[in-house]
Every structure is written in C-alpha cells, then in structure tokens.
Amino acid sequence: MGCGGSKEIIEDRQGKPPQSAKPPHAVQATPQPAQGHAGVQNAQSQSPNPVQQQQPAPAEQVYELPEGWKERQDRRTGATYWVHTETKERTTRRPRHITDVYIKPIEPVVCPASVGAELPNHLIGRGRKCVKAVPSLGSKQDAPFEWIDLKNLEPIFPDWPDGSINNRTIDELNGMEIETTVKDSLDGVWRYMVSDGKAWFISQTDYEMNEKFDRYGFNTELISKLDFQTRVEWFRHQLGRSVQPGHLDVAVHRENIFQDSVVCISAQDKSRLLSSVKVVFEGETKLLNDASGIKKSWMDMLSKYIFGESGLFEYDEENEEYKIDRTARYKLSNFEAGGKKYNHLELLTFVGRLLGKVLFDGERLPLHLSQSIYKALLQQETQLEDVRDLDPGLFKVLNGVRNGEQEYHPDYLCEVFGALEMVPNRETGELELTDVEIGRIGGCKIDMTMENRVDWVEYKFHWALRGRIKDELDKLLYGFWSVVNPALLSIFSAPELQMLLCGNMELDLDDWQASSSYEGGFSPDHQVVQWFWEVMAELEPHEHVKLLQFVTGSQTVPLEGFRGLANRSGPFTLKRVKHGTKATGGSSMPIGHTCTNTMDLPDYPDKQTLGKMLKVTIELGMQSQFIME
C-alpha cells in the first residue's frame, strides 16, 4: 500500500483506550525547571502577591540504542542522525526498542514576547483615565496632595478651590466619597482606595473586582481553580482594562468584504486592535449610527466567507469542525487585496486577529474549530491520549498499532513512513495526491514493522496534528495572541475556550422567555406576548436559531444563557408597535434591531396572523437586510 493508505482504516476501525505507557530502557536525566507562558512570569513578578513555584518538567528520556543502530554527525551541518549498519536506513529521530511504546507529546507553540498583547496593570488597568494622590514636591505625608494623571504623569485639576480633595491628606480621605467635581470629570462612577499608603482613584467596577480578586494577584494557577463563571468574570474584566480609546475603522464593500477587511485589519498595530470597531458598508451605512448592529452583520458575513469560500479552512464532517487547509498555500498563491499581494500565512494571521477580536469584544462565532487549535491557543502540549477527543478515528488506529493489537498488525495495514498529500503537479500545476515522506529519509519506501511501529505512530501523530500545518498554525496563533495575551487564556481548558468563543449552541426556550424584556406597552401577560411564546414553542430548533440571529445578529447566546445578552447590547426585548402599514404609521412585519437585541412586534389581532408573519420574517431575515436595522 502506498503512502497514507490508512485513511480508510482510520475512519472505519475500532480500537481500545490506551493503557498508561512508560518508556523502558530509559535513563532519567536531571530535571529542568519548566518555562511558563510568555508574559506570565513577567506579570507575576510585578504582582505583590506570592507567585506559585514552577513545577519541574518531566525528566528527559534517554534510551539505549537498539542493536544495529549507530549515532552519526553530519559533517556539514553538525546535526545528529542514526544509521542501521546492515540496512543502511537513516533517521533523524533516535531509534527505539520494540518494547518501548512511549510516544513523545507535541510541544506547545510558545508566544514570543513581541507578539503577545500587552497585559493590563492589575490594580487599575494601565492608568487610563485614572489619577493618583502623591505628596506635593518637597512636602511631608500630612501636606497637601497633587493628583497625577497616570497616563501622562502630569498634574490634574491644578486650579481646584481651597478645601477641595487636593488639600486633603490620605487619612482625611479614608472612608470619604469622591467629590462631585471628580465624578463629573471622569467617565462613570469612581471612588478612591488606599493601597500601601498611597491613595488611588479607581472605577467602581475595578474596585469591586479588586476586592474580589486582589488576593490572587496574577497567580493564574490559583485563579484556574475557581469555578468557571468566576474565571470568566475575571477574564472579561482583565480584557476590559485593555480597551483603548478611539475606533478601529473598517470600511468594506459588501461584495468584496474579505479583501477589504484584510486590508483594514492587517494594517493596524496591536494597540489599535484593542479599540472598538466602527464598520461602514460603503454606499450603504456611511450616515448611520452603527451601535454594534452593523458590526455584527459584518462579522457574520465575514466569518461565513472565511470558513466557506476563502480556501483557508476545510470542514471535517466526521468531527463537525473546521481545520486549517494545508493546500491553502497553493489555492491562495495569487491572492491580492488593495493593490497588495498577501500570502496564505498573512491571511491566517488576519484570521487569528479577527478571532481574537471576536473574543476580546465578547462576540460569538458559531463555528467550531478543531480541538487541536484550541489546545494550541492555550499553549498546552498534546499527548497521544488527547487524540481520542481531537480525532477519534485517527486515535483508534494509532493506539491500536502502538498496543500491538492484531487488528492493526503491520502485516495487515501494509503502511509506510509516508502520507498522501495534495501537492501541485510540477508540469501542470494542478493539485494531485502525492507521496510525502514522514519522519524518515526515504520514508515512502520504508515499511512499518512490529519493530518500528511505535516510531510510525509517533511520526503520524506529530505530522497529522502539527507537522503538516506547522507554519499555518503558528501564524493563526500569533494573530490571535496579538489581541488576547495567552497568559489570560491559561485559566481555561480547550472545551471552555471553545465555549467562550462560540457561545452556547443550545437554545433553552424557557430561559429565553424568562430573560426577556418588554417595551411599548407589552408585558408578560399581554395577549400578543403570550401568542408569541406559544408560536415559538411550535417552531423547530433551527427556526429558533434563525430568529435569534434576526434579532441579535448571532446564532448563539453567551455562556450565561439569554440573561447574558443584557451585559452586551441589552436583553432580548419585544417592543409593541402599531399593526398596519407604513402609510398609516404602523408595520405589518416584525423588525429586528440587532444593535439593541430588540424586535418590533406589531400588535396582531390574532395568533394565526402573528405566527404566519413571524415565519415569513424568519426566512426573509436570513436572506436580506431590508427588514433588519
């Protein structure tokens, strides 16, 4: 069988769960301290709270060479390789004994310091719009204070009248509310607090979060032990502290949305990515106030294109998830936008930035990525046992071969150290299946045997989940991390990160009704409202999804369920409007306002009319923008 001949077997065969496998013939090397996530150690060193001790990494495994193998050094490059003295077979990985079934895990991609988004200050969040009380120059502790803007270290409110806060000592300030002058001068509700003998202005929200989380500092190991909702609260608050002033302006044409978005997002520096997005559809929305509705429409259209027509991702029907398409390098070799050429790696960096922005802004993307991508975003290593959840079909084969199960005996599989990959024909340029060696030089001509089967498993494992898309995955991760620092993500598991990014895919109608709000004369007891929920109970689940998108711009709800909508653009709201025509000042169909999660619902005369018009609205709302705000 040629390279990659196990594809059908991978999809059809059944295997057993792996047993704990420890490498025999192993000599324990001296343990070395594990390196933390990029940015975490720096943040921890600045925290006043004690930082957890780094746990030593697993001891490096050093094996005796099997009989017939010799270690060699390449005279030109100095690289180490091994040669079998009889068969002359060469390999760049150390050969193993037949009884050694240890599989080396896939090491995590580490976020370079130059790539990761800046971590916010723990106490008051980078000093934006915050002031600090310090003694006047040359004065003592009980002397008048100056208030220093932490953003530019310049004095603020220098001309306050006598008797103002500027002339109060820290002791006098203790327990006192901020004066009206300060409240009017800063956005939101602010108060002061005293820390280490220094007085700080701090927003009410930051104050509450500080009271709740200050004892943890930036010790992500401790925070990761909290319940999920509490961790989400901490995470959201940390992201909120990083928001930058101004707007990230995105101007696109509907028919050219992907190319225009690539130009707008790719040109921005990291700090601008942390500003609120202002989207304009050229020729359509220039004079409209966005209020997030147009932004939701942009994200929805763009994500559908990226995971559909762009050629960057392929859909795995068996696992119902999207994976990076290795052939993107060939499909997008001539991609051009805004008069500039972009290679597929630059486009994946753009996608990473967009996904990071979706998470940063608290939006949701109802498209499931491969679980291996989520683990990579969290900088977690991948063990062979993890493949059971990442790709069940692949795991059945790899685990069966490793354990020497008869069903997966090398003589039956007839495998080699290679795979079938789509590669352009040198003459025609057309993509075609081609043998690609994996792990061993000339691997497509080296049969898998009982002696080398574990090497084959390790090579296949590493190639399938990382090796074949290494450069592409790196760029996707770097783009994501430039918006959301991985140190903040480290408190979550891969399934939890997926929930954060995708939202809750299951819509609970009881929760929907209990969390809804009413305006314009509607109430839970109003006859039209009761008809509405009766009609909703009769609709199919996919129709619920369509209605939700029609009103909110998203097919999912936040992790907290429908009550979580109130923390974004407002709760799901039914607003009473007059039933009639535009000429009579009424409306014949419901209208969705995605900016406020509100649906204008005409006061229909009967349930039948309401149900009919609601169904028409659902279908039209998915096909055009005319009845949506």
Side-chain angles (χ1 to χ4, degrees):
M1 184 179 293
C3 291
S6 64
K7 177 175 176 57
E8 293 80 8
I9 298 172
I10 289 175
E11 294 176 348
D12 299 332
R13 295 292 179 182
Q14 297 293 324
K16 300 177 181 178
Q19 303 297 320
S20 177
K22 297 182 180 179
H25 310 289
V27 180
Q28 298 294 323
T30 303
Q32 298 297 324
Q35 297 297 318
H37 295 317
V40 175
Q41 291 175 325
N42 181 48
Q44 290 173 331
S45 63
Q46 297 175 359
S47 172
N49 302 69
V51 179
Q52 70 271 27
Q53 296 294 322
Q54 295 288 345
Q55 297 298 320
E60 181 183 358
Q61 307 295 342
V62 181
Y63 309 107
E64 300 174 4
L65 285 174
E67 184 178 353
W69 286 94
K70 298 294 182 182
E71 184 176 312
R72 296 285 187 265
Q73 297 286 330
D74 188 303
R75 294 181 180 179
R76 183 172 58 87
T77 65
T80 301
Y81 64 94
W82 290 265
V83 178
H84 195 281
T85 54
E86 295 183 5
T87 64
K88 305 304 179 184
E89 180 183 344
R90 283 181 63 174
T91 178
T92 56
R93 290 198 182 184
R94 189 183 185 93
R96 68 175 78 226
H97 285 268
I98 189 173
T99 55
D100 172 15
V101 294
Y102 174 75
I103 303 297
K104 182 180 179 181
I106 299 175
E107 296 296 324
V109 180
V110 177
C111 178
S114 60
V115 168
E118 182 180 352
L119 286 169
N121 177 280
H122 174 64
L123 181 62
I124 51 176
R126 305 177 58 174
R128 187 170 59 84
K129 289 187 177 179
C130 298
V131 293
K132 174 184 176 182
V134 296
S136 298
L137 186 63
S139 63
K140 297 182 180 181
Q141 179 71 10
D142 58 353
F145 280 79
E146 291 180 317
W147 294 96
I148 305 298
D149 186 335
L150 296 184
K151 185 175 181 180
N152 54 27
L153 300 182
E154 295 293 330
I156 193 170
F157 311 133
D159 299 323
W160 279 1
D162 294 340
S164 69
I165 291 182
N166 214 37
N167 295 321
R168 307 286 182 91
T169 65
I170 289 181
D171 290 337
E172 290 174 329
L173 284 170
N174 196 20
M176 193 183 79
E177 293 294 326
I178 294 180
E179 292 186 1
T180 304
T181 306
V182 180
K183 289 183 179 180
D184 292 342
S185 302
L186 301 174
D187 294 336
V189 180
W190 292 76
R191 63 183 296 172
Y192 83 93
M193 61 182 300
V194 177
S195 176
D196 297 328
K198 300 174 183 177
W200 305 77
F201 270 143
I202 183 171
S203 73
Q204 180 67 26
T205 303
D206 272 359
Y207 179 85
E208 293 171 357
M209 290 299 102
N210 189 75
E211 288 288 296
K212 188 170 185 177
F213 294 111
D214 185 52
R215 62 184 180 277
Y216 301 109
F218 208 91
N219 190 327
T220 53
E221 182 176 339
L222 291 178
I223 294 172
S224 65
K225 296 177 181 178
L226 302 176
D227 67 84
F228 180 59
Q229 291 298 342
T230 302
R231 282 180 283 136
V232 170
E233 183 182 17
W234 179 88
F235 175 72
R236 290 292 182 203
H237 189 66
Q238 293 292 358
L239 291 183
R241 291 175 171 181
S242 297
V243 174
Q244 294 295 304
H247 292 95
L248 170 57
D249 295 317
V250 178
V252 298
H253 296 81
R254 193 176 294 271
E255 67 278 4
N256 208 38
I257 191 169
F258 181 60
Q259 290 83 348
D260 291 347
S261 298
V262 168
V263 172
C264 290
I265 301 297
S266 299
Q268 306 299 329
D269 57 32
K270 290 192 296 184
S271 62
R272 180 57 63 189
L273 294 173
L274 306 184
S275 301
S276 60
V277 175
K278 180 75 172 180
V279 179
V280 170
F281 282 104
E282 295 287 7
E284 300 178 38
T285 58
K286 219 167 220 184
L287 302 179
L288 295 181
N289 181 16
D290 181 15
S292 83
I294 298 172
K295 171 188 168 186
K296 291 179 181 179
S297 179
W298 167 71
M299 280 192 168
D300 178 59
M301 293 177 61
L302 184 57
S303 63
K304 287 179 179 177
Y305 184 91
I306 289 173
F307 293 97
E309 305 174 40
S310 73
L312 291 169
F313 294 86
E314 57 182 345
Y315 185 65
D316 182 343
E317 293 187 1
E318 181 180 356
N319 297 311
E320 299 182 336
E321 61 188 19
Y322 287 90
K323 298 179 179 180
I324 296 175
D325 190 341
R326 186 176 182 272
T327 63
R329 68 183 70 187
Y330 312 121
K331 296 177 181 178
L332 297 165
S333 58
N334 296 316
F335 182 87
E336 185 174 331
K340 176 185 175 182
K341 284 191 173 182
Y342 294 83
N343 60 43
H344 74 295
L345 297 178
E346 291 172 315
L347 295 179
L348 283 166
T349 300
F350 156 74
V351 173
R353 284 183 157 200
L354 181 68
L355 295 177
K357 188 62 176 167
V358 168
L359 182 60
F360 186 88
D361 289 352
E363 301 291 347
R364 299 174 300 286
L365 188 73
L367 297 166
H368 287 180
L369 299 173
S370 166
Q371 287 293 309
S372 59
I373 294 179
Y374 292 117
K375 288 185 72 70
L377 286 170
L378 296 174
Q379 298 188 131
Q380 295 177 354
E381 70 175 22
T382 304
Q383 303 278 351
L384 178 62
E385 285 71 18
D386 294 327
V387 182
R388 183 194 292 111
D389 297 323
L390 304 179
D391 192 333
L394 176 63
F395 176 76
K396 294 171 186 175
V397 174
L398 298 184
N399 187 56
V401 172
R402 181 184 69 168
N403 292 341
E405 297 175 13
Q406 185 64 32
E407 187 176 9
Y408 298 98
H409 194 282
D411 293 342
Y412 173 66
L413 295 181
C414 301
E415 274 293 336
V416 295
F417 282 74
L420 288 173
E421 294 287 350
M422 295 295 291
V423 177
N425 183 287
R426 292 184 179 180
E427 296 181 359
T428 66
E430 297 292 329
L431 292 176
E432 59 183 27
L433 284 173
T434 305
D435 292 338
V436 177
E437 63 186 31
I438 297 177
R440 293 192 175 183
I441 300 172
C444 290
K445 298 180 180 179
I446 301 175
D447 292 328
M448 190 248 289
T449 65
M450 283 299 292
E451 288 73 21
N452 65 22
R453 75 185 194 287
V454 182
D455 275 342
W456 179 87
V457 170
E458 186 169 293
Y459 291 141
K460 278 281 189 179
F461 165 48
H462 283 250
W463 175 258
L465 270 65
R466 181 66 55 80
R468 67 193 301 267
I469 56 167
K470 181 183 182 304
D471 294 339
E472 290 82 357
L473 180 61
D474 285 355
K475 293 303 181 181
L476 181 72
L477 301 181
Y478 290 174
F480 191 98
W481 290 334
S482 67
V483 183
V484 181
N485 193 293
L488 299 178
L489 298 172
S490 63
I491 62 174
F492 299 113
S493 65
E496 289 172 339
L497 179 58
Q498 176 178 315
M499 290 180 64
L500 278 172
L501 191 58
C502 300
N504 191 344
M505 303 293 286
E506 298 293 331
L507 302 183
D508 185 333
L509 191 58
D510 291 335
D511 177 43
W512 194 340
Q513 183 174 356
S515 304
S516 294
S517 179
Y518 306 95
E519 294 180 358
F522 273 161
S523 69
D525 299 326
H526 194 283
Q527 181 63 70
V528 174
V529 171
Q530 292 182 1
W531 286 338
F532 173 82
W533 291 114
E534 289 173 8
V535 170
M536 287 289 288
E538 297 167 1
L539 296 178
E540 297 295 328
H542 72 275
E543 293 176 307
H544 291 159
V545 172
K546 289 181 178 180
L547 180 66
L548 180 67
Q549 182 167 21
F550 173 71
V551 180
T552 70
S554 176
Q555 297 180 11
T556 64
V557 294
L559 299 175
E560 311 93 312
F562 282 89
R563 62 185 175 87
L565 292 175
N567 300 326
R568 276 77 176 176
S569 303
F572 179 86
T573 301
L574 293 178
K575 182 179 179 180
R576 182 184 183 184
V577 296
K578 180 181 178 181
H579 178 231
T581 64
K582 188 174 182 180
T584 62
S587 175
S588 62
M589 298 179 66
I591 298 176
H593 300 273
T594 57
C595 57
T596 58
N597 296 334
T598 298
M599 184 168 74
D600 292 345
L601 183 64
D603 51 356
Y604 293 110
D606 54 68
K607 176 182 174 181
Q608 183 179 4
T609 303
L610 187 153
K612 177 183 176 180
M613 300 311 295
L614 191 62
K615 282 204 170 190
V616 171
T617 299
I618 289 173
E619 295 306 318
L620 288 179
M622 295 299 292
Q623 298 174 24
S624 74
Q625 302 295 315
F626 294 115
I627 59 174
M628 287 172 47
E629 183 181 57

